[in-house]
Amino acid sequence: VHNHADEIAQMGKNALIVTGRNSSKKNGSLDDVINALKSKNIKYTVYDGVEENPSVETVMEAREIGVKAGCDFIIGIGGGSPMDAAKAIGVMIYYKNENKDFLYKSVSNSQSLPVIEVPTTCGTGSEVTTVAVLTVHNEKTKKSMSHRIFPRMALVDEKYIKNAPLKVICDTAIDALAHIVESCINNNATEYSKMFAKEGLEAWSKFKDVLLGNREATDEDFHNMMYASTLAGMCIAHAGTSLPHGLSYPITYELGIPHGKAVGYFLPGYINEATDEDKEFVLKAAGFETVEEFSKFYKKACGYEKFPQELLDKTGELILSNQRKLANCPYKVDAEVIKNIISF
Ligand code: NAP
Ligand code: ZN
C-alpha cells in the first residue's frame, strides 16, 4: 500500500474506505491506507459497517454515506465481504439515482467508481475478480450482483494475514482451493486458466501442513497463502465457479457457516464425479493421492460437522435450477449426481 501511494492518488480526490468492523484496525491495513491517502492529501471517509456475507442493505447504507461525502473512488479493505461490498457500493454511487433493485438488473457495460482492493484473508481472490456476492434477505440466500466490475488495482500484501486466527486462515485457504478446483473441473477451463491453476495448486500444497496445525506458519507460508489466493481469483475470473459454490450459499445463509467451510463441504464430492484426468490434475498438484484423503483433510482443517439433511436436500434441489452454475460443470448433472456430491 505504501509503495503504491502515487497510483492510489491517481484514482480520485476523495476516497470511500469500505471495511469490516474490527480486523483491518488490528492488522495494520486500515492505517496503511489512511497514511498513504494522507501523504498525498487525499480526502477520505471510512465506512466500517460491512458484516460477513454483506447484505444489499449494507451496500445501500454505505452508498448514502459515500454520496453525501462526495466520494469519487472506493478502497475495499478486508476479506471477501468488504471487497465485494466495495464493488457493489462503487456501482451504486455511480448510478446514484437507482434503487437497490439495480444491483440485480442486467445492464450491458456497467460502470462503477474506480475500486482498489486490499485483501486481508487468503481465500476469495475478490481483488482480481469481477464478482460481488451479496446476501439477499428476501430470497434467504446469497447471489452475485449482475454487474461485473474489475478492481482497478489489487494491493496484495501477506503481512495483513500474519496475525489472523488459524480458523480464518483454514476457512479461507479452503475457499482458494475450491476456486482453483472449480475452475479446472469446468467447461470454461483453458490452457491459460490451467496455467494459473497449476501455479496456484503448487503454492497451496506447500503450506497445507500449517492448516492441520502440524507446524507454525513461516513468512514463506504466508506469502504462498496470499499468492495462491490471488491466483485462484484469477482462475475464477476466467472460468467461474460451479456446483460447490452454488450449493454453499443456502448453507451459509441458514447456518452462518463461513464461506470457505461451506464450499469445502461439497468439494470432495464434486471432484469425485469428474473424469479421471481432471481428478488427477487437481489432486496431484494439491498434494493428495485420493479424494478420500482430501475429504479427511477438509474435515480436519475446517472442523467437520454434518449439516442438517433437510437443508442439504433443499440446496440440492435449488442447484438443479441454477443455470449459471450448472453450465460451468463439465459432467451431466441430475438429482442422483447431486445426491452423490452431497453425501460423499
Ligand atoms: P470475510 O467474511 O470477509 O471475513 C470473515 C471474518 O474474518 C470477519 O470476521 C473478518 O473480521 C475476519 N478477518 C478478515 N481479515 C482478517 C485478518 N487479517 N485477521 C483476522 N481476522 C480477519 O471472509 P472471506 O472468507 O474473505 O470472504 C467471504 C465473502 O467473500 C463471502 O461473502 C463470499 O461469498 C465472498 N466471495 C467472493 C468471491 C469473489 O470472487 N468476489 C469469491 C469467493 C467468495 P472483520 O469483519 O472485522 O473484518
Ligand atoms: Zn469462494
Side-chain angles (χ1 to χ4, degrees), residues 19-24 27 50-54 77-84 87 120-126 129-133 142 160-165 168 171-172 175 179 236 245 249 259-260:
T19 190
R21 300 205 171 103
N22 299 303
S23 67
S24 65
N27 61 37
V50 181
E51 73 278 42
E52 289 184 42
N53 307 298
I77 310 175
S81 297
M83 289 196 288
D84 282 9
K87 294 175 201 170
T120 70
T121 64
C122 50
T124 71
S126 179
T129 76
T130 58
V131 175
V133 187
K142 297 171 59 182
Y160 302 134
I161 59 169
K162 283 187 179 170
N163 292 316
V168 170
D171 288 340
T172 60
D175 187 27
H179 295 158
I236 53 169
H245 269 72
Y249 295 143
H259 172 70

Side-chain angles (χ1 to χ4, degrees), residues 253-318:
Y253 186 86
E254 296 290 345
L255 305 176
I257 302 290
H259 172 70
K261 177 173 176 171
V263 171
Y265 189 93
F266 304 103
L267 203 54
Y270 185 67
I271 298 172
N272 198 46
E273 295 295 318
T275 60
D276 286 347
E277 192 188 349
D278 280 350
K279 231 187 260 183
E280 200 187 312
F281 178 80
V282 295
L283 287 172
K284 218 172 159 186
F288 299 105
E289 293 284 326
T290 60
V291 190
E292 286 76 15
E293 188 191 343
F294 168 60
S295 177
K296 262 195 208 151
F297 178 94
Y298 160 76
K299 287 176 179 169
K300 196 160 175 215
C302 290
Y304 179 65
E305 56 190 285
K306 167 111 171 64
F307 303 145
Q309 194 57 45
E310 206 180 319
L311 184 56
L312 288 169
D313 291 343
K314 191 178 121 196
T315 190
E317 216 171 281
L318 284 172

Side-chain angles (χ1 to χ4, degrees), residues 2 14 17 27 32 37 48 53 100 102 124 129 144 147 162 166 180 186 228 231 237 263 274 276 288 309 328 333:
H2 174 75
N14 187 349
I17 299 176
N27 61 37
D32 281 358
L37 293 170
D48 62 359
N53 307 298
K100 67 181 170 48
F102 187 74
T124 71
T129 76
S144 302
H147 314 280
K162 283 187 179 170
L166 184 60
I180 302 179
N186 193 309
L231 286 168
V263 171
D276 286 347
F288 299 105
Q309 194 57 45
N328 290 354
V333 181

